[in-house]
Amino acid sequence: MAMMARTIRNSASRRTMMMSRPIFGLRSMSSWWKNVEPAPKDPILGVTEAFLADPSPDKVNVGVVSLSLSLDLTDGAYRDDNGKPVVLDCVREAERRIAGTSFMEYLPMGGSVKMVEETLKLAYGDNSEFIKDKRIAAVQSLSGTGACRLFADFQTRFNPGSQIYIPVPTWSNHHNIWRDAQVPQKTYHYYHPETKGLDFKGLMDDVKNAPEGSFFLLHACAHNPTGVDPTEEQWREISQLFKAKNHFAFFDMAYQGFASGDPARDAKSIRIFLEDGHHIGISQSYAKNMGLYGQRVGCLSVLCENEKQAVTVKSQLQQLARPMYSNPPLHGAQIVSTILGDPELKSLWLKEVKIMADRIIGMRTTLRESLEKLGSPLSWEHVTKQIGMFCYSGLTPEQVDRLTSEYHIYMTRNGRISMAGVTTGNVGYLANAIHEVTKSS
Amino acid sequence: MKTNDFSSSTSPSDRRIGALFRHLTAGTDADRVSSVFASPTSGGAGGSVFAHLVQAPEDAILGVTIAYNKDPSPIKLNLGVGAYRTEEGKPLVLNVVRKAEQQLINDRSRIKEYLPIVGLVEFNKLSAKLILGADSPAIRENRVTTVECLSGTGSLRVGGEFLARHYHQKTIYIPQPTWGNHPKIFTLAGLSVKTYRYYDPSTRGLNFQGLLEDLGAAPQGSIVLLHACAHNPTGVDPTLEQWEQIRKLMRSKGLMPFFDSAYQGFASGSLDTDAKPIRMFVADGGELLVAQSYAKNMGLYGERVGALSIVCKAADVAGRVESQLKLVIRPMYSNPPIHGASIVAVILRDRNLFNEWTLELKAMADRIISMRKQLFEALRARGTPGDWTHIIKQIGMFTFTGLNPAQVSYMTKEYHIYMTSDGRISMAGLSSKTVPHLADAIHAVVTKAL
């Protein structure tokens, strides 16, 4: 894996003696910020810092994968089979067309209309009646994070007193987002550690016991961090129960196309809810499925009763965006519009997404088979049952620590492996190491 | 306090409705809200949980362009939004930006993955140098923390949220008048917003006495928003002597300066001149915040490029401050956009591109200054009654004409000239060809006694 040497900023090296110098016109020497506490280390970022400090040539980082430019990651980033980050060909071509032509003027507060139109088609369907009837309030957002945050702010403003039900576990930033929006949080059962699959009964019980009209956060596909998704049948049951309880479903869809390789299939959960008549909200991100991570491009949509309401809701979403960033960034939206608006480029994109998804699915299979061949006493069925970027391996924190100290393999201590970091070149080593630390289980 | 705002009700849903009602009517015409009714989260069979929403009012500034676009007249003139226009009335992409774009495109090894939460590190360092000066003691002593944000708006919001969480005083004083988005940004950030006197309508200049009185009366430690240069919307800036007095007063009361720098280089044509007020505050060793935008001075409007810098008394403090800024940013948008910041970094790091940029910047500033002179001369030539020297005394993109809403309305109706109702015109929207038309219109409304 190509690695650029990074100088990690070390707070100790930045300490300097407080300069004593004559200060003109100041009342006191002390800083207003002296009571500011250092923030806790990010649980994912810390992994990368340790990885980069490790001198072993065999080291494999399956905790956090996007290492070439950034130390910070809330999600993994895709790698090809050489362990290299990838810029999609369709993206390169789109950027080539855009360069030198754009006037870079402000987008409207709601973002690029063209980009939003194309994005809604992906989630709601090309021929969606809701799009035709203009019932969807939608704005361009700062990737998935920005969409979730706008919705959380919207929820707190227009449904004060409402809570959000969040699955256990979930992407850690979900908690931060709704907390900063001042929406109280509750959790619902999701992951079943014994089966390394879905705790369907626990989930349904929690949905049933929640007060009528509660707000729920659902991962549309490729649940992060577990990779565990409900089956289609289970989604139908969940939808029916939601109907009975009048709950509001907010879907975070960060991996459409990336999970199964087929965007329509990955949106199935959403389509089921739409068929059943729910008025849902959706956060969409192009970070992974178009590899546009750093461009921060996504979309927040809210399905309304009618066009008038959609116009109203959109106007209020814009009121939340204006004092946050005024209007969203142009470049990523231009890339998306260019690709999705051109049949050839769109077709190329769909191919490239499938290649990425297939590579990961292939690595899951290889990892599982390797472990089985090594004669592991444990079941590794979950490696291929789980879907998307991540695998919740079931390794204990102690086993993870051994992987790090003895084999220089880095992952988050909850045992989450970013499959995107696994390649044909390192899967054997990974399987062997996992076997070594688990064979006496 | 309205008697029907339910705030003292014992019923939780009534109190929630009260909160919603107060929110909807705050700062808007109360009669825009036709009715507020109870609609708890359960939408009923198929109903929406958001059925109770009313439509938000149009943004006042952006609404001007919308109206302009609808106007079929061939002589219409848009003096609303503050985006630069050339003599031909066209938007402008700087040559250095085009060169930077090409450089980025041609570098196939560039990977556009997530930036760190703090943004593009090289961009941050270069931005701090740009605003504080390459030789700034604060930079040398590692006392500055800089984070890439979404243009000026984003920088102000992140700074405001940080202050609301960690600063002991939760009130920010903003000038009267100021950019319409300022109060919303700081309110949503969690600060309480008060104003200080700034513009004097009788002189169309600075109400310096009022400013000093109001800042002098502010509680110890209050935050004060300062426009670094080219005050928006008035174009009225303090002189350097006045800035020095402001600085002394603020430091004596421990008032925290929060600079909004949206026009560095664009106001006078010189980057250093336009940053002087900020550098004066840094030179006394004290702390401050500064929000930088590259929207106008690099023409990167839609790419949303900016930076928030916090100058601290000590390096270890700066480090902790940065860690807390990250906690504000991550739940908002995780990490900032890469494209615009990359363009800026390419330009600022390259001596030739940087120099070329300063020339293009000066050309934009000079064209605006020239428009001011031409408009002033045109009014003088027509013998338009009144003192119009403020047109050439004010600085930056905007001129506060002193016209009232009735006059503005007349100019729009009869002359198809579009501006915000406070009489603010964007000089960038003028050209030598259109100055006469504007001068005619001003002459007409002023002599009409509207």
Side-chain angles (χ1 to χ4, degrees):
Chain A
M1 195 180 307
M3 214 52 56
M4 277 164 58
R6 298 273 310 164
T7 311
I8 301 184
R9 269 206 312 196
N10 180 336
S11 62
S13 71
R14 301 186 86 232
R15 272 176 228 281
T16 54
M17 299 295 288
M18 181 119 110
M19 304 298 286
S20 60
R21 44 182 285 166
I23 309 285
F24 176 72
L26 290 169
R27 289 173 51 252
S28 88
M29 283 289 288
S30 67
S31 168
W32 288 121
W33 314 123
K34 65 177 187 290
N35 295 321
V36 174
E37 293 293 318
K41 271 193 184 297
D42 187 285
I44 300 170
L45 175 63
V47 174
T48 298
E49 284 185 7
F51 170 78
L52 289 168
D54 183 326
S56 162
D58 284 326
K59 64 185 179 179
V60 178
N61 188 350
V62 287
V64 149
V65 186
S66 174
L67 297 154
S68 51
L69 275 184
S70 71
L71 290 177
D72 148 66
L73 259 201
T74 53
D75 280 323
Y78 180 78
R79 290 285 176 276
D80 65 14
D81 199 46
N82 296 313
K84 300 262 194 302
V86 168
V87 176
L88 301 187
D89 284 340
C90 60
V91 171
R92 281 207 196 280
E93 174 56 22
E95 291 209 282
R96 197 193 57 78
R97 294 184 195 181
I98 292 165
T101 64
S102 166
F103 276 115
M104 296 173 182
E105 301 249 282
Y106 291 123
L107 280 174
M109 282 184 282
S112 159
V113 170
K114 185 152 177 258
M115 185 283 250
V116 167
E117 266 171 19
E118 291 295 337
T119 303
L120 293 182
K121 287 202 271 189
L122 282 178
Y124 293 82
D126 282 340
N127 300 311
S128 164
E129 57 179 291
F130 308 115
I131 297 179
K132 275 201 205 75
D133 295 343
K134 301 195 171 137
R135 284 176 51 187
I136 308 172
V139 295
Q140 179 184 339
S141 66
L142 294 161
S143 208
T145 308
C148 287
R149 176 57 179 269
L150 269 188
F151 183 79
D153 281 350
F154 181 70
Q155 188 184 345
T156 214
R157 180 174 275 193
F158 293 105
N159 291 86
S162 66
Q163 299 163 328
I164 185 80
Y165 281 79
I166 294 184
V168 178
T170 193
W171 179 46
S172 59
N173 207 22
H174 279 144
H175 294 294
N176 301 329
I177 291 168
W178 268 272
R179 180 205 62 220
D180 274 17
Q182 288 163 47
V183 176
Q185 301 174 30
K186 281 198 134 64
T187 57
Y188 63 92
H189 286 85
Y190 192 84
Y191 180 69
H192 207 257
E194 287 79 51
T195 60
K196 300 191 186 70
L198 182 67
D199 179 1
F200 187 57
K201 181 173 184 316
L203 186 157
M204 293 296 270
D205 280 346
D206 286 346
V207 170
K208 191 166 65 149
N209 294 328
E212 206 183 279
S214 295
F215 285 71
F216 274 78
L217 170 70
L218 302 165
H219 295 226
C221 64
H223 180 271
N224 176 4
T226 66
V228 169
D229 286 349
T231 62
E232 190 178 314
E233 205 26 66
Q234 288 171 327
W235 274 122
R236 291 194 188 283
E237 286 189 56
I238 294 169
S239 172
Q240 285 304 313
L241 185 51
F242 263 61
K243 246 182 130 171
K245 299 282 310 189
N246 258 322
H247 289 330
F248 184 95
F250 183 73
F251 284 93
D252 184 350
M253 183 157 67
Y255 297 98
Q256 187 183 15
F258 207 96
S260 70
D262 176 1
R265 196 161 136 204
D266 289 346
K268 193 69 185 156
S269 58
I270 288 174
R271 305 287 169 86
I272 288 170
F273 271 66
L274 291 172
E275 275 161 29
D276 287 350
H278 294 282
H279 293 146
I280 63 177
I282 307 179
S283 155
Q284 286 170 269
S285 165
Y286 287 102
K288 290 85 171 168
N289 62 11
M290 251 193 219
L292 295 179
Y293 308 95
Q295 307 288 352
R296 317 311 293 130
V297 53
C299 178
L300 166 66
S301 61
V302 177
L303 176 61
C304 302
E305 289 175 303
N306 51 53
E307 181 180 349
K308 183 159 178 284
Q309 203 178 83
V311 168
T312 298
V313 168
K314 182 178 168 177
S315 76
Q316 292 294 354
L317 291 174
Q318 289 176 172
Q319 289 293 304
L320 290 164
R322 178 72 161 140
M324 201 186 282
Y325 49 84
S326 279
N327 37 73
L330 179 61
H331 191 68
Q334 286 177 317
I335 295 174
V336 173
S337 302
T338 303
I339 291 171
L340 297 184
D342 176 322
E344 268 185 47
L345 281 182
K346 180 170 181 179
S347 172
L348 174 58
W349 172 58
L350 291 170
K351 275 202 196 75
E352 293 189 278
V353 165
K354 189 160 190 325
I355 288 172
M356 291 196 286
D358 284 349
R359 195 186 89 65
I360 292 195
I361 291 168
M363 285 298 100
R364 289 181 178 277
T365 305
T366 307
L367 178 61
R368 174 184 169 180
E369 284 174 354
S370 305
L371 284 162
E372 287 166 354
K373 266 207 201 77
L374 287 165
S376 173
L378 303 174
S379 164
W380 296 100
E381 198 188 20
H382 55 286
V383 173
T384 48
K385 273 186 84 176
Q386 292 167 5
I387 192 169
M389 182 95 73
F390 303 110
C391 166
Y392 233 39
S393 61
L395 293 165
T396 65
E398 295 70 36
Q399 289 168 334
V400 171
D401 289 344
R402 277 192 64 196
L403 282 177
T404 305
S405 57
E406 295 172 37
Y407 296 91
H408 312 286
I409 294 173
Y410 295 76
M411 63 184 69
T412 47
R413 287 189 94 235
N414 56 11
R416 185 191 86 165
I417 298 174
S418 173
M419 294 307 296
V422 180
T423 68
T424 53
N426 62 34
V427 66
Y429 180 78
L430 175 62
N432 184 65
I434 291 176
H435 178 60
E436 288 299 316
V437 305
T438 56
K439 63 186 179 188
S440 51
S441 298
Chain B
M1 181 118 88
K2 294 190 183 354
T3 53
N4 62 344
D5 71 349
F6 304 111
S7 57
S8 53
S9 169
T10 49
S11 152
S13 58
D14 276 356
R15 284 201 298 280
R16 279 200 296 278
I17 293 154
L20 179 58
F21 183 80
R22 280 196 300 283
H23 164 74
L24 286 172
T25 53
T28 66
D29 299 334
D31 57 11
R32 278 181 190 274
V33 180
S34 50
S35 68
V36 176
F37 51 91
S39 177
T41 53
S42 78
S48 169
V49 300
F50 304 119
H52 58 290
L53 264 65
V54 293
Q55 180 143 350
E58 279 283 1
D59 184 285
I61 299 170
L62 302 175
V64 171
T65 298
I66 291 172
Y68 168 85
N69 287 335
K70 288 205 183 103
D71 187 330
S73 164
I75 57 161
K76 63 182 179 177
L77 189 54
N78 187 357
L79 301 180
V81 164
Y84 183 80
R85 290 288 177 268
T86 62
E87 255 295 306
E88 294 72 39
K90 297 264 188 303
L92 175 69
V93 177
L94 303 185
N95 276 329
V96 287
V97 169
R98 287 286 184 235
K99 285 185 185 169
E101 273 189 306
Q102 271 312 303
Q103 216 184 96
L104 294 173
I105 274 284
N106 293 337
D107 182 1
R108 281 191 63 91
S109 71
R110 269 193 85 233
I111 302 297
K112 271 80 63 94
E113 304 224 304
Y114 292 122
L115 286 177
I117 300 174
V118 298
L120 190 59
V121 172
E122 189 195 9
F123 163 86
N124 293 342
K125 287 190 164 47
L126 292 165
S127 293
K129 281 211 196 117
L130 182 66
I131 191 70
L132 302 178
D135 55 350
S136 173
I139 295 179
R140 246 188 297 118
E141 293 154 18
N142 285 323
R143 294 190 284 116
V144 184
T145 177
T146 305
V147 292
E148 178 197 335
C149 294
L150 280 101
S151 209
T153 308
S155 306
L156 292 164
R157 177 62 178 269
V158 170
E161 297 245 351
F162 171 79
L163 290 169
R165 287 173 203 208
H166 299 288
Y167 189 59
H168 65 288
Q169 258 283 9
K170 318 286 182 192
T171 304
I172 184 164
Y173 284 78
I174 64 178
Q176 186 84 284
T178 193
W179 181 44
N181 207 15
H182 277 143
K184 296 180 200 163
I185 294 170
F186 294 120
T187 302
L188 282 201
L191 297 172
S192 110
V193 177
K194 290 194 150 71
T195 59
Y196 61 92
R197 279 171 287 171
Y198 191 84
Y199 180 69
D200 185 346
S202 58
T203 62
R204 294 187 192 135
L206 182 66
N207 180 355
F208 191 49
Q209 205 38 49
L211 182 156
L212 290 177
E213 276 171 29
D214 288 349
L215 293 191
Q220 202 87 319
S222 302
I223 310 157
V224 180
L225 179 75
L226 302 161
H227 294 225
C229 69
H231 179 272
N232 177 3
T234 68
V236 169
D237 285 348
T239 62
L240 283 180
E241 292 71 33
Q242 289 171 326
W243 271 119
E244 174 60 13
Q245 280 189 261
I246 294 170
R247 184 195 65 77
K248 278 203 194 77
L249 171 62
M250 285 183 61
R251 293 310 197 191
S252 75
K253 300 202 47 140
L255 302 179
M256 174 60 69
F258 195 157
F259 281 96
D260 183 351
S261 173
Y263 299 98
Q264 187 188 8
F266 206 97
S268 69
S270 155
L271 290 160
D272 290 326
T273 301
D274 290 346
K276 195 97 177 74
I278 297 171
R279 297 181 188 179
M280 283 164 62
F281 277 73
V282 175
D284 68 18
E287 300 181 315
L288 58 84
L289 294 89
V290 50
Q292 267 173 290
S293 166
Y294 289 95
K296 288 84 170 170
N297 63 7
M298 266 205 205
L300 292 173
Y301 307 93
E303 300 298 351
R304 319 310 294 128
V305 202
L308 169 72
S309 286
I310 302 187
V311 177
C312 308
K313 292 256 181 73
D316 62 332
V317 173
R320 296 202 298 279
V321 165
E322 183 183 283
S323 73
Q324 291 293 347
L325 287 172
K326 285 157 73 168
L327 294 192
V328 169
I329 292 168
R330 193 167 187 269
M332 211 184 267
Y333 51 84
S334 282
N335 40 74
I338 190 171
H339 189 67
S342 303
I343 292 177
V344 173
V346 167
I347 294 169
L348 294 184
R349 78 160 80 109
D350 179 309
R351 182 185 296 262
N352 292 327
L353 286 177
F354 182 90
N355 288 338
E356 203 181 320
W357 174 49
T358 61
L359 295 174
E360 291 192 89
L361 193 46
K362 187 163 191 321
M364 288 196 288
D366 283 350
R367 193 182 92 66
I368 292 196
I369 291 169
S370 154
M371 289 302 102
R372 290 182 176 281
K373 291 203 185 93
Q374 285 186 34
L375 180 59
F376 176 72
E377 289 303 324
L379 290 170
R380 213 166 59 159
R382 283 159 182 70
T384 307
D387 178 1
W388 297 98
T389 54
H390 58 283
I391 292 179
I392 43 179
K393 280 196 238 168
Q394 291 167 8
I395 192 169
M397 185 98 71
F398 303 110
T399 291
F400 233 35
T401 54
L403 298 167
N404 63 47
Q407 292 169 319
V408 169
S409 195
Y410 183 88
M411 283 175 65
T412 304
K413 205 158 156 282
E414 302 299 323
Y415 287 83
H416 305 277
I417 295 176
Y418 291 79
M419 69 185 78
T420 46
S421 58
D422 55 4
R424 181 193 87 163
I425 53 175
S426 168
M427 302 310 288
L430 273 179
S431 70
S432 310
K433 282 209 309 285
T434 53
V435 161
H437 179 58
L438 176 59
D440 287 341
I442 294 177
H443 186 87
V445 291
V446 165
T447 52
K448 228 176 172 17
L450 278 165

